[in-house]
C-alpha cells in the first residue's frame, strides 16, 4: 500500500475527511471497527454505554474470555458517526476528554494492553501494535466494474497514466494506525502533529483521483499529497 497525506489536523477536518472517504461513488463497502476498550472507556457517553454493558455481560457469561487476545470478536462493527464521536471524545481538549484518556490508559494497563511504546502516528505500518483501537477500512470497486459514464474521471486518469491494472481486483484503502498512543496522546491540544494519512493499494492513478475528490468534498484547504507528488 502507498500513503497519501491530507491537510486534516483538527478533529473537525479529520471528521469531514473520514465521512467523505466512505461517501463517494467508487466505494463498494466500508468496514469500521472499535476495540472493546474504547466502548468501556467511553461508557459514560450515551452512544457507547449499551456496547460497554453488552461486553460486560459477555464477560460474565464467558469467564475464560481472554480480553487481551487477538480474538476478532473483541472488536465490533461501528458506524462512521461512532468513529467520529470517538475522535471527538478523545481529541477535543477539556476535562471530559482528559478523563476519557486517563480511563482508557488505565484500562489498557489493567488488562496488559498498554504495550505500544511508539510515538503517536510514528509506528511502522509493517509492524502494527496490539490492539489497534480504531480500524478504518474501505473497499473500492474493481476497475472492471467501473461505469464508463459514472466513473469517467478515474477511468480517464488511469488511461492518461498508462498504468497496468488488475481489472478484477478490488482496491483496498485504510486509515492510519490508531492505537493507544494515537488515541491518548495523538492530539493533546486538539490538533494532530502532522497531516492525517490514508493508505491505498491498486492503481495509483485510480486511488489518487478518488483521494483528490475525497479531499475536495471534505473542503480541505489543499489536495492530498501522494508518492508521485513528492
Amino acid at each position: 500500500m502507498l500513503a497519501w497525506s491530507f491537510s486534516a489536523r483538527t478533529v473537525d477536518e479529520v471528521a469531514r475527511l473520514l465521512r467523505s472517504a466512505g461517501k463517494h461513488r467508487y466505494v463498494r463497502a466500508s468496514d469500521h471497527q472499535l476495540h472493546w476498550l474504547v466502548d468501556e472507556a467511553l461508557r459514560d457517553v450515551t452512544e457507547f454505554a449499551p456496547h460497554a454493558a453488552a461486553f460486560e455481560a459477555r464477560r460474565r457469561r464467558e469467564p475464560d474470555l481472554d480480553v487481551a487476545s487477538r480474538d476478532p470478536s473483541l472488536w465490533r462493527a461501528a458506524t462512521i458517526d461512532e468513529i467520529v464521536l470517538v475522535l471527538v471524545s478523545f481529541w477535543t481538549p477539556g476535562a471530559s476528554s482528559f478523563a476519557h484518556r486517563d480511563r482508557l490508559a488505565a484500562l489498557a494497563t489493567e488488562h496488559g494492553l498498554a504495550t505500544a511504546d511508539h510515538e503517536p502516528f510514528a509506528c511502522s505500518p509493517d509492524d502494527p501494535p496490539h490492539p489497534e483501537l480504531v480500524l478504518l477500512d474501505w473497499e473500492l470497486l474493481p476497475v472492471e466494474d467501473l461505469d464508463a459514464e459514472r466513473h469517467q474521471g478515474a477511468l480517464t486518469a488511469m488511461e492518461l497514466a498508462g498504468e497496468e491494472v488488475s481489472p478484477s481486483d478490488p482496491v483496498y484503502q485504510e486509515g492510519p494506525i490508531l492505537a493507544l498512543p494515537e488515541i491518548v496522546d495523538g492530539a493533546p491540544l486538539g490538533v494532530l502533529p502532522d497531516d492525517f494519512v490514508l493508505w491505498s493499494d491498486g492503481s495509483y492513478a485510480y486511488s489518487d483521483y478518488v483521494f483528490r475528490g475525497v479531499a475536495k468534498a471534505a473542503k480541505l484547504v489543499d489536495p492530498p499529497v501522494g508518492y508521485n507528488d513528492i
Side-chain angles (χ1 to χ4, degrees), residues 3-37:
W4 277 255
S5 60
F6 292 77
S7 56
R9 297 197 183 188
T10 67
V11 178
D12 181 61
E13 289 167 343
V14 172
R16 297 201 310 267
L17 171 62
L18 295 181
R19 291 187 192 281
S20 297
K23 197 172 61 177
H24 56 79
R25 60 184 175 272
Y26 294 91
V27 174
R28 181 154 79 175
S30 298
D31 180 17
H32 307 324
Q33 298 188 40
L34 294 175
H35 192 262
W36 73 267
L37 280 177

PDB file of all heavy atoms in Angstrom, residues 3-37:
ATOM      1  N   ALA A   3       0.841   5.602   0.804  1.00  0.00           N
ATOM      2  CA  ALA A   3       0.182   6.564   1.684  1.00  0.00           C
ATOM      3  C   ALA A   3      -0.057   7.895   0.969  1.00  0.00           C
ATOM      4  O   ALA A   3       0.774   8.331   0.167  1.00  0.00           O
ATOM      5  CB  ALA A   3       1.019   6.798   2.932  1.00  0.00           C
ATOM      6  N   TRP A   4      -1.181   8.517   1.267  1.00  0.00           N
ATOM      7  CA  TRP A   4      -1.487   9.889   0.860  1.00  0.00           C
ATOM      8  C   TRP A   4      -1.717  10.696   2.127  1.00  0.00           C
ATOM      9  O   TRP A   4      -2.449  10.252   3.031  1.00  0.00           O
ATOM     10  CB  TRP A   4      -2.750   9.945   0.007  1.00  0.00           C
ATOM     11  CG  TRP A   4      -2.580   9.649  -1.446  1.00  0.00           C
ATOM     12  CD1 TRP A   4      -2.583  10.545  -2.476  1.00  0.00           C
ATOM     13  CD2 TRP A   4      -2.418   8.359  -2.064  1.00  0.00           C
ATOM     14  NE1 TRP A   4      -2.438   9.902  -3.679  1.00  0.00           N
ATOM     15  CE2 TRP A   4      -2.327   8.553  -3.457  1.00  0.00           C
ATOM     16  CE3 TRP A   4      -2.332   7.051  -1.562  1.00  0.00           C
ATOM     17  CZ2 TRP A   4      -2.153   7.502  -4.353  1.00  0.00           C
ATOM     18  CZ3 TRP A   4      -2.158   5.995  -2.456  1.00  0.00           C
ATOM     19  CH2 TRP A   4      -2.068   6.224  -3.832  1.00  0.00           C
ATOM     20  N   SER A   5      -1.096  11.862   2.232  1.00  0.00           N
ATOM     21  CA  SER A   5      -1.322  12.721   3.396  1.00  0.00           C
ATOM     22  C   SER A   5      -2.327  13.806   3.033  1.00  0.00           C
ATOM     23  O   SER A   5      -2.333  14.337   1.911  1.00  0.00           O
ATOM     24  CB  SER A   5      -0.008  13.343   3.875  1.00  0.00           C
ATOM     25  OG  SER A   5       0.585  14.142   2.863  1.00  0.00           O
ATOM     26  N   PHE A   6      -3.179  14.104   3.999  1.00  0.00           N
ATOM     27  CA  PHE A   6      -4.263  15.071   3.800  1.00  0.00           C
ATOM     28  C   PHE A   6      -4.099  16.240   4.767  1.00  0.00           C
ATOM     29  O   PHE A   6      -3.700  16.049   5.922  1.00  0.00           O
ATOM     30  CB  PHE A   6      -5.615  14.397   4.050  1.00  0.00           C
ATOM     31  CG  PHE A   6      -5.982  13.352   3.030  1.00  0.00           C
ATOM     32  CD1 PHE A   6      -5.404  12.090   3.076  1.00  0.00           C
ATOM     33  CD2 PHE A   6      -6.894  13.636   2.024  1.00  0.00           C
ATOM     34  CE1 PHE A   6      -5.736  11.123   2.128  1.00  0.00           C
ATOM     35  CE2 PHE A   6      -7.231  12.674   1.078  1.00  0.00           C
ATOM     36  CZ  PHE A   6      -6.645  11.417   1.130  1.00  0.00           C
ATOM     37  N   SER A   7      -4.442  17.423   4.308  1.00  0.00           N
ATOM     38  CA  SER A   7      -4.323  18.615   5.160  1.00  0.00           C
ATOM     39  C   SER A   7      -5.480  18.643   6.158  1.00  0.00           C
ATOM     40  O   SER A   7      -6.328  19.539   6.148  1.00  0.00           O
ATOM     41  CB  SER A   7      -4.321  19.888   4.308  1.00  0.00           C
ATOM     42  OG  SER A   7      -5.489  19.957   3.493  1.00  0.00           O
ATOM     43  N   ALA A   8      -5.479  17.631   7.024  1.00  0.00           N
ATOM     44  CA  ALA A   8      -6.508  17.498   8.059  1.00  0.00           C
ATOM     45  C   ALA A   8      -5.804  17.246   9.382  1.00  0.00           C
ATOM     46  O   ALA A   8      -5.194  16.184   9.569  1.00  0.00           O
ATOM     47  CB  ALA A   8      -7.450  16.344   7.731  1.00  0.00           C
ATOM     48  N   ARG A   9      -5.863  18.231  10.274  1.00  0.00           N
ATOM     49  CA  ARG A   9      -5.191  18.094  11.572  1.00  0.00           C
ATOM     50  C   ARG A   9      -6.132  18.335  12.747  1.00  0.00           C
ATOM     51  O   ARG A   9      -5.876  17.846  13.839  1.00  0.00           O
ATOM     52  CB  ARG A   9      -3.999  19.047  11.662  1.00  0.00           C
ATOM     53  CG  ARG A   9      -2.910  18.761  10.646  1.00  0.00           C
ATOM     54  CD  ARG A   9      -1.610  19.429  11.011  1.00  0.00           C
ATOM     55  NE  ARG A   9      -0.583  19.224  10.005  1.00  0.00           N
ATOM     56  CZ  ARG A   9       0.689  19.581  10.155  1.00  0.00           C
ATOM     57  NH1 ARG A   9       1.083  20.162  11.287  1.00  0.00           N
ATOM     58  NH2 ARG A   9       1.575  19.367   9.193  1.00  0.00           N
ATOM     59  N   THR A  10      -7.194  19.090  12.537  1.00  0.00           N
ATOM     60  CA  THR A  10      -8.156  19.289  13.618  1.00  0.00           C
ATOM     61  C   THR A  10      -9.162  18.144  13.600  1.00  0.00           C
ATOM     62  O   THR A  10      -9.310  17.435  12.603  1.00  0.00           O
ATOM     63  CB  THR A  10      -8.902  20.616  13.460  1.00  0.00           C
ATOM     64  OG1 THR A  10      -9.749  20.548  12.293  1.00  0.00           O
ATOM     65  CG2 THR A  10      -7.934  21.788  13.317  1.00  0.00           C
ATOM     66  N   VAL A  11      -9.870  17.985  14.716  1.00  0.00           N
ATOM     67  CA  VAL A  11     -10.885  16.929  14.791  1.00  0.00           C
ATOM     68  C   VAL A  11     -11.944  17.136  13.721  1.00  0.00           C
ATOM     69  O   VAL A  11     -12.386  16.168  13.071  1.00  0.00           O
ATOM     70  CB  VAL A  11     -11.530  16.903  16.190  1.00  0.00           C
ATOM     71  CG1 VAL A  11     -12.616  15.842  16.260  1.00  0.00           C
ATOM     72  CG2 VAL A  11     -10.485  16.643  17.259  1.00  0.00           C
ATOM     73  N   ASP A  12     -12.352  18.366  13.512  1.00  0.00           N
ATOM     74  CA  ASP A  12     -13.391  18.645  12.517  1.00  0.00           C
ATOM     75  C   ASP A  12     -12.916  18.289  11.118  1.00  0.00           C
ATOM     76  O   ASP A  12     -13.667  17.695  10.326  1.00  0.00           O
ATOM     77  CB  ASP A  12     -13.782  20.120  12.584  1.00  0.00           C
ATOM     78  CG  ASP A  12     -14.884  20.465  11.587  1.00  0.00           C
ATOM     79  OD1 ASP A  12     -15.979  19.889  11.689  1.00  0.00           O
ATOM     80  OD2 ASP A  12     -14.635  21.305  10.690  1.00  0.00           O
ATOM     81  N   GLU A  13     -11.669  18.620  10.781  1.00  0.00           N
ATOM     82  CA  GLU A  13     -11.136  18.302   9.456  1.00  0.00           C
ATOM     83  C   GLU A  13     -11.034  16.791   9.249  1.00  0.00           C
ATOM     84  O   GLU A  13     -11.380  16.274   8.184  1.00  0.00           O
ATOM     85  CB  GLU A  13      -9.772  18.958   9.278  1.00  0.00           C
ATOM     86  CG  GLU A  13      -9.836  20.470   9.128  1.00  0.00           C
ATOM     87  CD  GLU A  13      -8.477  21.136   9.256  1.00  0.00           C
ATOM     88  OE1 GLU A  13      -7.529  20.492   9.769  1.00  0.00           O
ATOM     89  OE2 GLU A  13      -8.368  22.310   8.867  1.00  0.00           O
ATOM     90  N   VAL A  14     -10.560  16.090  10.275  1.00  0.00           N
ATOM     91  CA  VAL A  14     -10.456  14.634  10.165  1.00  0.00           C
ATOM     92  C   VAL A  14     -11.839  14.012  10.028  1.00  0.00           C
ATOM     93  O   VAL A  14     -12.048  13.080   9.237  1.00  0.00           O
ATOM     94  CB  VAL A  14      -9.707  14.049  11.378  1.00  0.00           C
ATOM     95  CG1 VAL A  14      -9.775  12.519  11.370  1.00  0.00           C
ATOM     96  CG2 VAL A  14      -8.253  14.511  11.385  1.00  0.00           C
ATOM     97  N   ALA A  15     -12.801  14.523  10.779  1.00  0.00           N
ATOM     98  CA  ALA A  15     -14.169  14.010  10.692  1.00  0.00           C
ATOM     99  C   ALA A  15     -14.726  14.185   9.278  1.00  0.00           C
ATOM    100  O   ALA A  15     -15.329  13.256   8.713  1.00  0.00           O
ATOM    101  CB  ALA A  15     -15.061  14.715  11.703  1.00  0.00           C
ATOM    102  N   ARG A  16     -14.533  15.367   8.687  1.00  0.00           N
ATOM    103  CA  ARG A  16     -15.028  15.602   7.325  1.00  0.00           C
ATOM    104  C   ARG A  16     -14.333  14.676   6.332  1.00  0.00           C
ATOM    105  O   ARG A  16     -14.959  14.141   5.406  1.00  0.00           O
ATOM    106  CB  ARG A  16     -14.829  17.067   6.926  1.00  0.00           C
ATOM    107  CG  ARG A  16     -15.603  18.067   7.784  1.00  0.00           C
ATOM    108  CD  ARG A  16     -15.782  19.400   7.075  1.00  0.00           C
ATOM    109  NE  ARG A  16     -14.555  19.947   6.531  1.00  0.00           N
ATOM    110  CZ  ARG A  16     -13.754  20.816   7.161  1.00  0.00           C
ATOM    111  NH1 ARG A  16     -14.064  21.221   8.400  1.00  0.00           N
ATOM    112  NH2 ARG A  16     -12.677  21.284   6.585  1.00  0.00           N
ATOM    113  N   LEU A  17     -13.045  14.471   6.533  1.00  0.00           N
ATOM    114  CA  LEU A  17     -12.289  13.591   5.649  1.00  0.00           C
ATOM    115  C   LEU A  17     -12.815  12.160   5.712  1.00  0.00           C
ATOM    116  O   LEU A  17     -13.051  11.520   4.674  1.00  0.00           O
ATOM    117  CB  LEU A  17     -10.807  13.626   6.031  1.00  0.00           C
ATOM    118  CG  LEU A  17      -9.898  12.598   5.356  1.00  0.00           C
ATOM    119  CD1 LEU A  17      -9.877  12.804   3.849  1.00  0.00           C
ATOM    120  CD2 LEU A  17      -8.486  12.686   5.935  1.00  0.00           C
ATOM    121  N   LEU A  18     -13.009  11.635   6.919  1.00  0.00           N
ATOM    122  CA  LEU A  18     -13.458  10.252   7.067  1.00  0.00           C
ATOM    123  C   LEU A  18     -14.875  10.056   6.529  1.00  0.00           C
ATOM    124  O   LEU A  18     -15.181   9.027   5.926  1.00  0.00           O
ATOM    125  CB  LEU A  18     -13.374   9.828   8.530  1.00  0.00           C
ATOM    126  CG  LEU A  18     -11.962   9.781   9.129  1.00  0.00           C
ATOM    127  CD1 LEU A  18     -12.015   9.315  10.567  1.00  0.00           C
ATOM    128  CD2 LEU A  18     -11.047   8.882   8.303  1.00  0.00           C
ATOM    129  N   ARG A  19     -15.728  11.043   6.760  1.00  0.00           N
ATOM    130  CA  ARG A  19     -17.086  10.932   6.201  1.00  0.00           C
ATOM    131  C   ARG A  19     -17.029  10.908   4.670  1.00  0.00           C
ATOM    132  O   ARG A  19     -17.730  10.121   4.015  1.00  0.00           O
ATOM    133  CB  ARG A  19     -17.948  12.091   6.685  1.00  0.00           C
ATOM    134  CG  ARG A  19     -18.280  12.046   8.177  1.00  0.00           C
ATOM    135  CD  ARG A  19     -19.284  13.136   8.528  1.00  0.00           C
ATOM    136  NE  ARG A  19     -19.430  13.312   9.962  1.00  0.00           N
ATOM    137  CZ  ARG A  19     -20.155  12.522  10.753  1.00  0.00           C
ATOM    138  NH1 ARG A  19     -20.790  11.484  10.224  1.00  0.00           N
ATOM    139  NH2 ARG A  19     -20.249  12.761  12.046  1.00  0.00           N
ATOM    140  N   SER A  20     -16.197  11.760   4.091  1.00  0.00           N
ATOM    141  CA  SER A  20     -16.100  11.825   2.630  1.00  0.00           C
ATOM    142  C   SER A  20     -15.486  10.557   2.056  1.00  0.00           C
ATOM    143  O   SER A  20     -15.850  10.124   0.954  1.00  0.00           O
ATOM    144  CB  SER A  20     -15.256  13.036   2.215  1.00  0.00           C
ATOM    145  OG  SER A  20     -15.871  14.245   2.611  1.00  0.00           O
ATOM    146  N   ALA A  21     -14.562   9.939   2.795  1.00  0.00           N
ATOM    147  CA  ALA A  21     -13.872   8.740   2.300  1.00  0.00           C
ATOM    148  C   ALA A  21     -14.824   7.566   2.109  1.00  0.00           C
ATOM    149  O   ALA A  21     -14.528   6.654   1.332  1.00  0.00           O
ATOM    150  CB  ALA A  21     -12.749   8.351   3.253  1.00  0.00           C
ATOM    151  N   GLY A  22     -15.947   7.584   2.799  1.00  0.00           N
ATOM    152  CA  GLY A  22     -16.894   6.482   2.665  1.00  0.00           C
ATOM    153  C   GLY A  22     -18.171   6.855   1.954  1.00  0.00           C
ATOM    154  O   GLY A  22     -19.141   6.075   1.960  1.00  0.00           O
ATOM    155  N   LYS A  23     -18.183   8.035   1.305  1.00  0.00           N
ATOM    156  CA  LYS A  23     -19.447   8.538   0.747  1.00  0.00           C
ATOM    157  C   LYS A  23     -19.240   9.064  -0.668  1.00  0.00           C
ATOM    158  O   LYS A  23     -19.605  10.203  -0.976  1.00  0.00           O
ATOM    159  CB  LYS A  23     -19.992   9.641   1.669  1.00  0.00           C
ATOM    160  CG  LYS A  23     -21.453   9.977   1.458  1.00  0.00           C
ATOM    161  CD  LYS A  23     -21.961  10.927   2.550  1.00  0.00           C
ATOM    162  CE  LYS A  23     -21.228  12.250   2.578  1.00  0.00           C
ATOM    163  NZ  LYS A  23     -21.780  13.193   3.582  1.00  0.00           N
ATOM    164  N   HIS A  24     -18.642   8.240  -1.519  1.00  0.00           N
ATOM    165  CA  HIS A  24     -18.492   8.635  -2.926  1.00  0.00           C
ATOM    166  C   HIS A  24     -18.812   7.438  -3.816  1.00  0.00           C
ATOM    167  O   HIS A  24     -18.964   6.313  -3.335  1.00  0.00           O
ATOM    168  CB  HIS A  24     -17.085   9.181  -3.202  1.00  0.00           C
ATOM    169  CG  HIS A  24     -15.977   8.233  -2.837  1.00  0.00           C
ATOM    170  ND1 HIS A  24     -15.613   7.186  -3.632  1.00  0.00           N
ATOM    171  CD2 HIS A  24     -15.154   8.179  -1.748  1.00  0.00           C
ATOM    172  CE1 HIS A  24     -14.614   6.530  -3.077  1.00  0.00           C
ATOM    173  NE2 HIS A  24     -14.318   7.102  -1.928  1.00  0.00           N
ATOM    174  N   ARG A  25     -18.903   7.667  -5.093  1.00  0.00           N
ATOM    175  CA  ARG A  25     -19.464   6.650  -5.987  1.00  0.00           C
ATOM    176  C   ARG A  25     -18.501   5.510  -6.325  1.00  0.00           C
ATOM    177  O   ARG A  25     -18.878   4.587  -7.057  1.00  0.00           O
ATOM    178  CB  ARG A  25     -19.959   7.304  -7.277  1.00  0.00           C
ATOM    179  CG  ARG A  25     -18.907   8.043  -8.080  1.00  0.00           C
ATOM    180  CD  ARG A  25     -19.550   8.717  -9.283  1.00  0.00           C
ATOM    181  NE  ARG A  25     -18.614   9.537 -10.041  1.00  0.00           N
ATOM    182  CZ  ARG A  25     -18.364  10.823  -9.765  1.00  0.00           C
ATOM    183  NH1 ARG A  25     -18.975  11.402  -8.756  1.00  0.00           N
ATOM    184  NH2 ARG A  25     -17.516  11.500 -10.513  1.00  0.00           N
ATOM    185  N   TYR A  26     -17.293   5.572  -5.810  1.00  0.00           N
ATOM    186  CA  TYR A  26     -16.354   4.480  -6.063  1.00  0.00           C
ATOM    187  C   TYR A  26     -16.315   3.468  -4.916  1.00  0.00           C
ATOM    188  O   TYR A  26     -15.710   2.403  -5.042  1.00  0.00           O
ATOM    189  CB  TYR A  26     -14.936   5.041  -6.288  1.00  0.00           C
ATOM    190  CG  TYR A  26     -14.838   5.858  -7.549  1.00  0.00           C
ATOM    191  CD1 TYR A  26     -15.061   7.239  -7.529  1.00  0.00           C
ATOM    192  CD2 TYR A  26     -14.525   5.268  -8.767  1.00  0.00           C
ATOM    193  CE1 TYR A  26     -14.979   8.000  -8.684  1.00  0.00           C
ATOM    194  CE2 TYR A  26     -14.439   6.021  -9.934  1.00  0.00           C
ATOM    195  CZ  TYR A  26     -14.667   7.388  -9.891  1.00  0.00           C
ATOM    196  OH  TYR A  26     -14.592   8.123 -11.036  1.00  0.00           O
ATOM    197  N   VAL A  27     -16.937   3.773  -3.797  1.00  0.00           N
ATOM    198  CA  VAL A  27     -16.906   2.882  -2.630  1.00  0.00           C
ATOM    199  C   VAL A  27     -17.850   1.711  -2.825  1.00  0.00           C
ATOM    200  O   VAL A  27     -19.024   1.894  -3.152  1.00  0.00           O
ATOM    201  CB  VAL A  27     -17.307   3.642  -1.345  1.00  0.00           C
ATOM    202  CG1 VAL A  27     -17.413   2.674  -0.168  1.00  0.00           C
ATOM    203  CG2 VAL A  27     -16.282   4.713  -1.026  1.00  0.00           C
ATOM    204  N   ARG A  28     -17.329   0.508  -2.617  1.00  0.00           N
ATOM    205  CA  ARG A  28     -18.191  -0.676  -2.642  1.00  0.00           C
ATOM    206  C   ARG A  28     -18.604  -1.070  -1.224  1.00  0.00           C
ATOM    207  O   ARG A  28     -19.723  -1.545  -1.017  1.00  0.00           O
ATOM    208  CB  ARG A  28     -17.485  -1.846  -3.331  1.00  0.00           C
ATOM    209  CG  ARG A  28     -18.355  -3.102  -3.394  1.00  0.00           C
ATOM    210  CD  ARG A  28     -17.995  -4.020  -4.543  1.00  0.00           C
ATOM    211  NE  ARG A  28     -16.815  -4.833  -4.237  1.00  0.00           N
ATOM    212  CZ  ARG A  28     -16.371  -5.787  -5.059  1.00  0.00           C
ATOM    213  NH1 ARG A  28     -16.970  -6.013  -6.219  1.00  0.00           N
ATOM    214  NH2 ARG A  28     -15.302  -6.492  -4.734  1.00  0.00           N
ATOM    215  N   ALA A  29     -17.708  -0.908  -0.256  1.00  0.00           N
ATOM    216  CA  ALA A  29     -18.032  -1.293   1.120  1.00  0.00           C
ATOM    217  C   ALA A  29     -17.116  -0.562   2.089  1.00  0.00           C
ATOM    218  O   ALA A  29     -15.989  -0.181   1.749  1.00  0.00           O
ATOM    219  CB  ALA A  29     -17.884  -2.807   1.300  1.00  0.00           C
ATOM    220  N   SER A  30     -17.620  -0.357   3.295  1.00  0.00           N
ATOM    221  CA  SER A  30     -16.838   0.224   4.384  1.00  0.00           C
ATOM    222  C   SER A  30     -16.849  -0.739   5.560  1.00  0.00           C
ATOM    223  O   SER A  30     -17.858  -1.406   5.818  1.00  0.00           O
ATOM    224  CB  SER A  30     -17.423   1.571   4.827  1.00  0.00           C
ATOM    225  OG  SER A  30     -17.400   2.510   3.777  1.00  0.00           O
ATOM    226  N   ASP A  31     -15.746  -0.812   6.267  1.00  0.00           N
ATOM    227  CA  ASP A  31     -15.651  -1.685   7.438  1.00  0.00           C
ATOM    228  C   ASP A  31     -14.894  -0.933   8.528  1.00  0.00           C
ATOM    229  O   ASP A  31     -13.670  -0.801   8.464  1.00  0.00           O
ATOM    230  CB  ASP A  31     -14.934  -2.987   7.086  1.00  0.00           C
ATOM    231  CG  ASP A  31     -14.816  -3.934   8.285  1.00  0.00           C
ATOM    232  OD1 ASP A  31     -15.552  -3.740   9.273  1.00  0.00           O
ATOM    233  OD2 ASP A  31     -13.972  -4.857   8.235  1.00  0.00           O
ATOM    234  N   HIS A  32     -15.627  -0.426   9.506  1.00  0.00           N
ATOM    235  CA  HIS A  32     -15.024   0.307  10.618  1.00  0.00           C
ATOM    236  C   HIS A  32     -15.287  -0.471  11.900  1.00  0.00           C
ATOM    237  O   HIS A  32     -16.407  -0.944  12.127  1.00  0.00           O
ATOM    238  CB  HIS A  32     -15.617   1.709  10.738  1.00  0.00           C
ATOM    239  CG  HIS A  32     -15.553   2.494   9.455  1.00  0.00           C
ATOM    240  ND1 HIS A  32     -14.496   2.410   8.576  1.00  0.00           N
ATOM    241  CD2 HIS A  32     -16.428   3.371   8.898  1.00  0.00           C
ATOM    242  CE1 HIS A  32     -14.712   3.203   7.550  1.00  0.00           C
ATOM    243  NE2 HIS A  32     -15.882   3.796   7.719  1.00  0.00           N
ATOM    244  N   GLN A  33     -14.264  -0.586  12.752  1.00  0.00           N
ATOM    245  CA  GLN A  33     -14.414  -1.368  13.967  1.00  0.00           C
ATOM    246  C   GLN A  33     -13.772  -0.675  15.157  1.00  0.00           C
ATOM    247  O   GLN A  33     -12.798   0.075  15.015  1.00  0.00           O
ATOM    248  CB  GLN A  33     -13.790  -2.763  13.783  1.00  0.00           C
ATOM    249  CG  GLN A  33     -14.456  -3.580  12.694  1.00  0.00           C
ATOM    250  CD  GLN A  33     -13.963  -5.012  12.670  1.00  0.00           C
ATOM    251  OE1 GLN A  33     -13.755  -5.630  13.706  1.00  0.00           O
ATOM    252  NE2 GLN A  33     -13.775  -5.545  11.479  1.00  0.00           N
ATOM    253  N   LEU A  34     -14.337  -0.957  16.338  1.00  0.00           N
ATOM    254  CA  LEU A  34     -13.829  -0.421  17.597  1.00  0.00           C
ATOM    255  C   LEU A  34     -13.487  -1.567  18.537  1.00  0.00           C
ATOM    256  O   LEU A  34     -14.242  -2.535  18.654  1.00  0.00           O
ATOM    257  CB  LEU A  34     -14.874   0.479  18.265  1.00  0.00           C
ATOM    258  CG  LEU A  34     -15.230   1.785  17.550  1.00  0.00           C
ATOM    259  CD1 LEU A  34     -16.365   2.496  18.288  1.00  0.00           C
ATOM    260  CD2 LEU A  34     -14.016   2.697  17.450  1.00  0.00           C
ATOM    261  N   HIS A  35     -12.373  -1.441  19.238  1.00  0.00           N
ATOM    262  CA  HIS A  35     -11.991  -2.411  20.257  1.00  0.00           C
ATOM    263  C   HIS A  35     -12.824  -2.183  21.507  1.00  0.00           C
ATOM    264  O   HIS A  35     -13.255  -1.051  21.790  1.00  0.00           O
ATOM    265  CB  HIS A  35     -10.502  -2.251  20.571  1.00  0.00           C
ATOM    266  CG  HIS A  35      -9.925  -3.355  21.388  1.00  0.00           C
ATOM    267  ND1 HIS A  35      -9.748  -3.261  22.748  1.00  0.00           N
ATOM    268  CD2 HIS A  35      -9.481  -4.595  21.039  1.00  0.00           C
ATOM    269  CE1 HIS A  35      -9.210  -4.381  23.201  1.00  0.00           C
ATOM    270  NE2 HIS A  35      -9.036  -5.212  22.195  1.00  0.00           N
ATOM    271  N   TRP A  36     -13.035  -3.258  22.276  1.00  0.00           N
ATOM    272  CA  TRP A  36     -13.892  -3.148  23.464  1.00  0.00           C
ATOM    273  C   TRP A  36     -13.378  -2.117  24.463  1.00  0.00           C
ATOM    274  O   TRP A  36     -14.167  -1.514  25.203  1.00  0.00           O
ATOM    275  CB  TRP A  36     -14.043  -4.512  24.146  1.00  0.00           C
ATOM    276  CG  TRP A  36     -12.823  -5.002  24.881  1.00  0.00           C
ATOM    277  CD1 TRP A  36     -11.835  -5.804  24.398  1.00  0.00           C
ATOM    278  CD2 TRP A  36     -12.476  -4.716  26.244  1.00  0.00           C
ATOM    279  NE1 TRP A  36     -10.878  -6.037  25.362  1.00  0.00           N
ATOM    280  CE2 TRP A  36     -11.250  -5.383  26.507  1.00  0.00           C
ATOM    281  CE3 TRP A  36     -13.069  -3.975  27.257  1.00  0.00           C
ATOM    282  CZ2 TRP A  36     -10.613  -5.324  27.753  1.00  0.00           C
ATOM    283  CZ3 TRP A  36     -12.442  -3.907  28.502  1.00  0.00           C
ATOM    284  CH2 TRP A  36     -11.224  -4.571  28.740  1.00  0.00           C
ATOM    285  N   LEU A  37     -12.055  -1.876  24.486  1.00  0.00           N
ATOM    286  CA  LEU A  37     -11.506  -0.877  25.401  1.00  0.00           C
ATOM    287  C   LEU A  37     -12.101   0.507  25.157  1.00  0.00           C
ATOM    288  O   LEU A  37     -12.303   1.283  26.102  1.00  0.00           O
ATOM    289  CB  LEU A  37      -9.983  -0.793  25.246  1.00  0.00           C
ATOM    290  CG  LEU A  37      -9.116  -1.839  25.938  1.00  0.00           C
ATOM    291  CD1 LEU A  37      -7.652  -1.609  25.582  1.00  0.00           C
ATOM    292  CD2 LEU A  37      -9.305  -1.804  27.457  1.00  0.00           C
TER     293      LEU A  37
END
